[in-house]
Amino acid sequence: MPVPEPSLPDLDRVLEEVAEIARPHAFEGEVADYIPALATADADRFGMAAVDLDGTEHVTGEVDEPFPIQSISKVFSLVLAMQKVDQAEGVANELWSRVGREPSGDPFNSLVQLERESGVPRNPMINAGALIVDDVLLDHCDDAKQATLDLLELLAGEPLELNEGVLRSEQGAAHRNRAMANLMASFGNLTHEVDEVLDDYTHACAISMTTRQLARATRFLGNGGVEPRTGERILSPALAKRAAAIMFTCGTYDAAGEFAFQVGLPCKSGVAGGIIGVVPRRMGLCVWSPPLDVAGNSLAGRIALHEFVSRCDLSIV
Ligand code: GLU
């Protein structure tokens, strides 16, 4: 007998309970400070949103406060690149010959593996991999920065802005990312100027979104690649599955195994404390709390996702 899809409890009540449990744990984590502008984030901010495919929005906390999406942008840059080069759904194209699809087991900004593996990053969810994705986008978009913003505006259903302070701060602190881009260029795995690629990358990281907007923007990945509000197809079902699969195995730094174990959903986190999650055929999730755990994932966010998914029986595994 197949196990039936669980019927959901009252999600607004569950979110309130989860916030009460998770929020105090934020103070066990540390706000990222290697990008100076991120260090000023309020450690006590917390928001969580679950947006159903039918558009119903369940929220708790500061869900309408914008924060820089940082590495969450890597999902949407990958989606754009898939739109451009993956239409044939092959695996040996100009994207997948230059970046892998395996978890790295190393920190997101590590150079060690990249040197050992001849400038081919393990996956598009780590910084080096996202730089390759941006390099591919520069070949296929008239304005790659605008294309990423346009996609996110379409998915969020609202105009978005950049956080100019975070952009400038990251541009002044991009030493490791620049080193990675140069290393990949030395192996012949970068076709544009390092500065041009870095510029696209830092712009995507500085896009400012709210928890509510990110939960909306994530839904199409659990809806066979179709944006539920407009009915617009963003990706084919096969490519939407692939994007979510990469989130599941690689989306939460080198704690992706632990995330699969505890949360059991495709997720992607960013150093400003946001985490998005895909609940297939049901909803998009986002949680935001700036202090991070040792792996770089929002500490209270991870706890909140674990509690939410357990109470609602939503893990995919
Ligand atoms: N902009 C950040 C960096 O390049 C993103 C890191 C992250 O959110 O994981 O380091």
Side-chain angles (χ1 to χ4, degrees):
M1 281 282 283
V3 181
E5 287 262 27
S7 59
L8 293 177
D10 176 345
L11 294 184
D12 296 292
R13 191 177 45 77
V14 173
L15 282 175
E16 293 304 323
E17 290 168 4
V18 161
E20 206 174 303
I21 293 169
R23 244 185 145 121
H25 288 281
F27 296 95
E28 297 155 20
E30 300 281 348
V31 172
D33 59 5
Y34 74 101
I35 298 171
L38 297 184
T40 57
D42 262 345
D44 65 352
R45 312 316 278 161
F46 179 95
M48 187 163 184
V51 180
D52 295 341
L53 295 186
D54 70 7
T56 312
E57 302 192 346
H58 309 275
V59 299
T60 184
E62 290 84 57
V63 290
D64 295 313
E65 238 176 76
F67 60 91
I69 64 174
Q70 289 294 330
S71 272
I72 295 174
S73 63
K74 292 179 169 76
V75 171
F76 300 93
S77 299
L78 174 65
V79 166
L80 263 185
M82 285 176 146
Q83 284 180 338
K84 305 287 179 196
V85 306
D86 236 0
Q87 293 304 349
E89 297 178 10
V91 288
N93 56 37
E94 64 179 285
L95 177 65
W96 297 120
S97 56
R98 297 176 55 195
V99 59
R101 298 187 291 271
E102 294 295 344
S104 71
D106 268 345
F108 66 98
N109 56 4
S110 168
L111 281 143
V112 178
Q113 197 168 52
L114 202 54
E115 165 81 27
R116 262 199 327 260
E117 299 185 357
S118 308
V120 177
R122 277 288 175 98
N123 67 70
M125 299 289 108
I126 53 176
N127 290 10
L131 291 167
I132 295 295
V133 169
D134 285 323
D135 196 43
V136 169
L137 288 180
L138 282 167
D139 274 333
H140 291 273
C141 303
D142 293 337
D143 183 342
K145 286 186 280 225
Q146 191 60 43
T148 310
L149 197 61
D150 288 347
L151 173 65
L152 279 164
E153 288 186 340
L154 183 151
L155 294 170
E158 285 172 7
L160 302 173
E161 289 180 354
L162 287 186
N163 183 322
E164 299 285 345
V166 167
L167 175 63
R168 278 192 299 279
S169 180
E170 180 156 359
Q171 282 169 338
H175 312 300
R176 268 180 175 270
N177 291 337
R178 186 176 303 280
M180 277 177 221
N182 276 307
L183 189 57
M184 292 190 291
S186 79
F187 281 108
N189 197 16
L190 209 70
T191 59
H192 294 85
E193 291 299 321
V194 164
D195 280 339
E196 203 185 348
V197 178
L198 278 178
D199 190 47
D200 267 25
Y201 173 85
T202 41
H203 272 77
C205 291
I207 293 172
S208 196
M209 290 179 73
T210 67
T211 306
R212 188 196 296 273
Q213 289 169 334
L214 276 167
R216 284 185 200 147
T218 304
R219 292 182 302 160
F220 78 100
L221 288 167
N223 192 37
V226 173
E227 205 292 299
R229 186 178 54 89
T230 61
E232 188 168 335
R233 177 163 293 288
I234 308 295
L235 288 178
S236 69
L239 292 182
K241 183 223 76 179
R242 286 186 181 170
I246 289 171
M247 290 169 71
F248 192 64
T249 51
C250 310
T252 43
Y253 308 118
D254 48 339
E258 191 58 28
F259 248 78
F261 190 77
Q262 283 192 27
V263 177
L265 291 178
C267 291
K268 179 73 196 98
S269 48
V271 286
I275 310 177
I276 56 169
V278 179
V279 185
R281 293 172 293 282
R282 285 192 182 269
M283 65 185 84
L285 297 177
C286 181
V287 60
W288 170 57
S289 163
L292 310 178
D293 63 17
V294 284
N297 295 300
S298 167
L299 201 152
R302 172 170 52 78
I303 292 170
L305 281 170
H306 170 63
E307 290 290 336
F308 182 80
V309 169
S310 308
R311 282 156 198 253
C312 302
D313 197 10
L314 289 175
S315 164
I316 62 167
V317 286

